[in-house]
Amino acid sequence: MSVFGIGMGSISNSLIASQNTNNINALMQQLQTIDQQLSSGLQFSLPGQNPQATSSILPINQDIAAQTQYQTNLTTDLGFLGTTDTSMQTLSTSLNQANSLLLGGLGSTSTPAEKSADAGQVGTIISGLVNTANSTFEGQYLFAGSASQQPPYQVLQSGAVLYTGNQASINSQVAPGLILPNNISGVTAFGGISTPVSSDVNPAVTAQTNLSDLNNGRGVPAGSIQVTLAPTAGPSITETIDLSHAHTVGDVQQAIQNAFPPGDVTVGIPAGPPADALQITAATGTVAVSDLNGGKTAQSLGLAGAAASSITGGDLNPLLTLLTPLAALNGGTGVDQTHGLTLTDGSQQQTISIAGDTTVQDLLNTLQAADPNLSVGINSAGNGLAISTRLSGVNFSIGENGGTTATDLGIRTLTASTSLSSLNLGQGVPVNATDSSGNPIPANLEIQRRSGTTIEVNLAGAKTVQDVLNDINAVDPGKLVASLNSVGNGISLTDNDGVSTGPLTVTNNAISQALGLAGTQSSPDPTQPLVGTDVNPQQATGVFNLLLQLQSALQSNNTADLTRLQPLFQQEVQRVSTVQGNVGSQEELLTQVQTQTSTEQTNLQSSLSTLQDVNMASAISQLTQIQTSLQATLQTAASSMQLSIFNYI
């Protein structure tokens, strides 16, 4: 740093003083700048002091803030998953303990008293797992889905376990463009909801149907179509019709019809059932429809076609929505709303009327209000309802109430198409059983008719309930009649030859028991059926349902049920192990992302430091130089400004 000298010559004192002041001020300003850098550790404090560096620092600071948030998210997510992993380990250990009790109960030396004691231990396991399933982290219930402010599992007075959570994922962003869940739902971990009862109810197309709901939800691409009308008399008319602003089927109908003179062309929905397509018809002559410029609007509407008097499209497969009218179900034939349906959910048995319901939303509201323990909605395919129970340890079924309501809604739990192998909680019907030598065991249903004669119906090869009905109905058509129960679920048998009034009996054997038909109808009225029992109850999936069944089987010394449960426990142990492995994989992935984020954060901090942090050694050296220069300048100024009173005379 230079020391500024001042020549004395003929320079005035005021100029000398001004130069001294400027030199001192410049050095003082440099000294202040260095002092500020040393105290703050930054090269500059205001953007205007270094605009070029500032333009680079701002995006780096934004990236650092984002990385800091990612780190916070990752730390929280790993905490959630770590606690989840611990809970899954507890679940796995408890399942193995319960499985040991099951195997002990199957042992030939286990007494009823010992099994009863084991049932008590199972009860303790259930209580412990309910607490585990209600685990929390940072005040949130791990297994409740998005309903994380309340415990997801409750033990009711009946002993059943109710799941009140949902299956939503809790997601967080852990890296640019990477969003991952930090939870698994209770259904995934512990179970608690039955497989939804559902089937395709084939919603019809209506004028109110949204275009976005057509074609299984793929919708109709916006665009224009070309329609050519060639009447019998007169010239052809070709119109380009813009459908890009159409939202409903009714909008399409109106747009096409308005493009032509009234009555010349009609767009409608063919009378069903099924009413699932669009149809365009010329009043006279022909009509042709095509897409423009490679579009697919007409094709997606099912209207594209060469000249013809009428063009009828294929099934547009509209999605079932909450606003779908019940009258539009089953291709437009609607639903039996007169009789209602029967519902059994554990100890709760009731008849539900849907007479006042208009839409799917109305129906779901009615079902939910009748039984709050139900899970109600629309299935994942978007073509039917989805009804489940949230209760573990109970039987659940939906049947008729003298009509076809449950069947029309696609939610009857026992139908003609039900597989025999799925009956009796998966034990099936032994229609294809073999002996120890591999020889077929006769699959005969023995029926003692009202006339006193006995017949045997061979059910070998039957696969569905309908097959059973067909085999029985083929014996004496129109007189010996098998059908589904008109109320509830099961198979009914009627024997009316117009003469006999004796009892109708189905002999008790493995086949009749599995079909729920063993028993006698003693009424002399031949129109009164022998009503079978429901052999297709639904149950919730998961550990609580299995444990409650195990507890009941041990308490009642039911070896057959213990035998049935053994493979189910093995499957559940394997399922839980798979879920636990998935949680571990998710933790590993988040740990890798955390490491990468930490590295990126370090690199960003290094770049930021290069741009804005001061070099302390260099700054101290500059400070020393400036201080030396300032001292020398002050001394020079003092020397040059040694004035006396004579300067003022």
Side-chain angles (χ1 to χ4, degrees):
M1 184 69 65
S2 299
V3 178
F4 299 99
I6 301 175
M8 300 299 294
S10 61
I11 299 176
S12 67
N13 288 331
S14 61
L15 180 59
I16 294 172
S18 176
Q19 288 178 332
N20 284 333
T21 301
N22 289 338
N23 291 338
I24 293 169
N25 286 341
L27 290 169
M28 288 296 293
Q29 186 173 6
Q30 294 177 36
L31 186 64
Q32 183 180 10
T33 299
I34 294 297
D35 184 63
Q36 186 177 25
Q37 289 177 344
L38 288 171
S39 61
S40 67
L42 301 176
Q43 295 182 39
F44 55 92
S45 57
L46 297 175
Q49 293 174 329
N50 193 335
Q52 184 176 1
T54 299
S55 64
S56 299
I57 287 172
L58 288 176
I60 292 177
N61 276 329
Q62 291 174 346
D63 287 344
I64 289 175
Q67 296 294 333
T68 300
Q69 185 60 58
Y70 296 151
Q71 284 284 20
T72 300
N73 293 348
L74 284 162
T75 300
T76 301
D77 292 353
L78 284 169
F80 272 104
L81 289 173
T83 308
T84 299
D85 192 18
T86 300
S87 298
M88 295 303 297
Q89 291 174 12
T90 301
L91 172 57
S92 180
T93 300
S94 298
L95 265 180
N96 287 325
Q97 291 173 348
N99 191 49
S100 296
L101 294 173
L102 186 155
L103 295 175
L106 283 172
S108 58
T109 60
S110 180
T111 66
E114 290 171 334
K115 290 178 183 176
S116 180
D118 289 345
Q121 293 187 50
V122 173
T124 301
I125 291 173
I126 293 172
S127 298
L129 281 182
V130 168
N131 289 333
T132 300
N134 288 333
S135 297
T136 62
F137 181 79
E138 293 189 349
Q140 298 187 54
Y141 289 93
L142 292 176
F143 301 106
S146 61
S148 58
Q149 299 306 307
Q150 61 181 11
Y153 289 93
Q154 302 174 25
V155 180
L156 305 184
Q157 288 185 345
S158 64
V161 176
L162 172 65
Y163 180 66
T164 60
N166 58 44
Q167 300 182 58
S169 292
I170 309 299
N171 300 321
S172 64
Q173 187 165 356
V174 296
L178 182 60
I179 298 176
L180 295 174
N182 63 19
N183 76 315
I184 58 174
S185 74
V187 173
T188 300
F190 296 86
I193 296 181
S194 64
T195 301
V197 182
S198 179
S199 63
D200 188 353
V201 292
N202 190 24
V205 174
T206 69
Q208 292 73 39
T209 301
N210 289 321
L211 298 184
S212 58
D213 291 332
L214 298 181
N215 302 304
N216 295 312
R218 295 189 301 274
V220 175
S224 298
I225 65 174
Q226 182 172 281
V227 179
T228 299
L229 184 62
T232 303
S236 297
I237 305 173
T238 298
E239 295 287 353
T240 296
I241 303 167
D242 182 8
L243 296 178
S244 60
H245 301 293
H247 297 290
T248 67
V249 169
D251 293 340
V252 172
Q253 293 173 302
Q254 186 175 9
I256 296 176
Q257 291 174 170
N258 289 348
F260 295 92
D264 282 8
V265 64
T266 302
V267 179
I269 300 168
D276 54 14
L278 284 178
Q279 183 180 66
I280 185 168
T281 305
T284 64
T286 63
V287 63
V289 183
S290 62
D291 281 303
L292 293 175
N293 303 321
K296 294 186 177 181
T297 304
Q299 180 183 337
S300 298
L301 288 168
L303 292 177
S309 60
S310 181
I311 300 172
T312 302
D315 188 354
L316 288 173
N317 291 310
L319 291 178
L320 183 71
T321 71
L322 296 177
L323 298 180
T324 300
L326 297 182
L329 303 189
N330 300 300
T333 60
V335 175
D336 170 16
Q337 293 187 246
T338 302
H339 295 89
L341 50 83
T342 60
L343 174 70
T344 300
D345 195 9
S347 59
Q348 184 176 2
Q349 299 179 359
Q350 57 183 312
T351 300
I352 301 175
S353 171
I354 65 166
D357 297 339
T358 302
T359 65
V360 169
Q361 181 69 79
D362 295 336
L363 170 70
L364 296 180
N365 289 342
T366 295
L367 294 176
Q368 191 74 80
D371 184 0
N373 297 330
L374 292 181
S375 172
V376 301
I378 295 173
N379 65 20
S380 58
N383 60 15
L385 303 175
I387 312 298
S388 306
T389 181
R390 293 174 173 271
L391 289 174
S392 293
V394 304
N395 287 337
F396 167 68
S397 64
I398 301 174
E400 300 294 358
N401 186 45
T404 60
T405 304
T407 302
D408 293 343
L409 292 172
I411 56 175
R412 187 172 188 177
T413 51
L414 177 64
T415 68
S417 62
T418 300
S419 170
L420 295 184
S421 61
S422 67
L423 300 182
N424 302 293
L425 301 176
Q427 293 185 92
V429 180
V431 292
N432 299 305
T434 58
D435 59 23
S436 57
S437 300
N439 300 314
I441 297 175
N444 294 331
L445 186 68
E446 186 175 280
I447 303 173
Q448 297 176 20
R449 301 190 61 182
R450 293 186 180 276
S451 63
T453 61
T454 299
I455 62 168
E456 289 187 348
V457 182
N458 184 8
L459 299 180
K463 295 182 179 179
T464 67
V465 171
Q466 186 64 63
D467 293 337
V468 173
L469 301 181
N470 291 343
D471 288 341
I472 296 174
N473 290 333
V475 172
D476 192 357
K479 297 179 180 179
L480 183 64
V481 178
S483 62
L484 295 178
N485 290 353
S486 61
V487 176
N489 285 311
I491 297 175
S492 291
L493 193 62
T494 303
D495 183 18
N496 186 7
D497 59 9
V499 178
S500 306
T501 59
L504 172 63
T505 300
V506 176
T507 303
N508 188 358
N509 63 18
I511 298 292
S512 63
Q513 283 185 6
L515 291 171
L517 266 175
T520 298
Q521 169 53 264
S522 300
S523 172
D525 181 358
T527 63
Q528 293 298 309
L530 189 164
V531 179
T533 58
D534 186 359
V535 290
N536 195 42
Q538 308 298 296
Q539 291 188 347
T541 61
V543 294
F544 290 118
N545 193 65
L546 283 177
L547 289 170
L548 287 165
Q549 289 184 79
L550 173 60
Q551 185 182 35
S552 176
L554 288 170
Q555 191 69 53
S556 61
N557 193 25
N558 190 332
T559 303
D561 234 12
L562 291 173
T563 302
R564 175 182 67 84
L565 290 171
Q566 184 179 5
L568 299 180
F569 262 86
Q570 295 299 321
Q571 294 172 17
E572 190 66 8
V573 167
Q574 182 58 49
R575 187 194 69 81
V576 169
S577 176
T578 300
V579 173
Q580 191 173 1
N582 292 339
V583 172
S585 297
Q586 188 74 353
E587 285 185 279
E588 184 177 354
L589 173 60
L590 289 179
T591 300
Q592 292 174 356
V593 173
Q594 189 177 50
T595 300
Q596 294 170 357
T597 301
S598 179
T599 300
E600 179 65 19
Q601 204 168 20
T602 300
N603 292 338
L604 288 170
Q605 288 288 358
S606 177
S607 299
L608 183 63
S609 178
T610 300
L611 288 169
Q612 69 177 17
D613 290 354
V614 69
N615 185 318
M616 300 300 287
S618 175
I620 291 172
S621 176
Q622 290 181 45
L623 178 64
T624 302
Q625 293 177 17
I626 293 171
Q627 288 175 332
T628 301
S629 296
L630 179 60
Q631 183 178 7
T633 301
L634 289 171
Q635 290 175 348
T636 301
S639 174
S640 65
M641 296 298 293
Q642 289 181 1
L643 303 177
S644 70
I645 191 171
F646 295 104
N647 295 98
Y648 298 97
I649 295 176

